[in-house]
Amino acid sequence: MAAFSDIFIGGSPVENSFESLDYIYTAAPDFDAAVRFYTSTLGGELRWRIHDGDVRVAAVRLAGVGPAILLASHLAAHDTILIYRAHDVFVRSVRL
């Protein structure tokens, strides 16, 4: 697999527009147990929590720096999505 810095589109290298990893969006099939684990056991700070229909999401900060954890009841077990901040969002199709 090519490294990100080695990817070319139309003969030009792809610029890295990622600034930081802001969230780790992860499955929490047993939502209440996951929130308790991340806050009580790991000592995280519950920043917010929402409930809309069947979807429940909570943001937990584990450290002063680095990404917050988003616990999501609607993701399939073991699914994780990394959410990056980007200074320039431009949709590109890249084949690796």
Side-chain angles (χ1 to χ4, degrees):
M1 175 181 276
F4 186 77
S5 61
D6 296 334
I7 297 173
F8 288 78
I9 297 177
S12 301
V14 174
E15 286 187 36
N16 185 349
S17 44
F18 297 118
E19 294 178 353
S20 62
L21 175 60
D22 286 350
Y23 299 99
I24 299 173
Y25 199 17
T26 191
D30 186 341
F31 183 78
D32 292 324
V35 170
R36 276 193 308 276
F37 175 76
Y38 278 84
T39 56
S40 298
T41 304
L42 297 181
E45 174 191 3
L46 180 63
R47 301 298 306 247
W48 52 263
R49 131 189 233 156
I50 60 171
H51 185 186
D52 185 13
D54 292 335
V55 175
R56 297 169 76 187
V57 178
V60 178
R61 173 133 328 262
L62 293 175
V65 295
I69 307 297
L70 297 180
L71 303 169
S73 66
H74 62 282
L75 293 180
H78 308 293
D79 278 358
T80 299
I81 301 168
L82 304 179
I83 301 175
Y84 287 87
R85 178 185 312 256
H87 71 272
D88 182 24
V89 179
F90 181 70
V91 178
R92 306 171 209 241
S93 176
V94 177
R95 284 195 160 162
L96 300 179

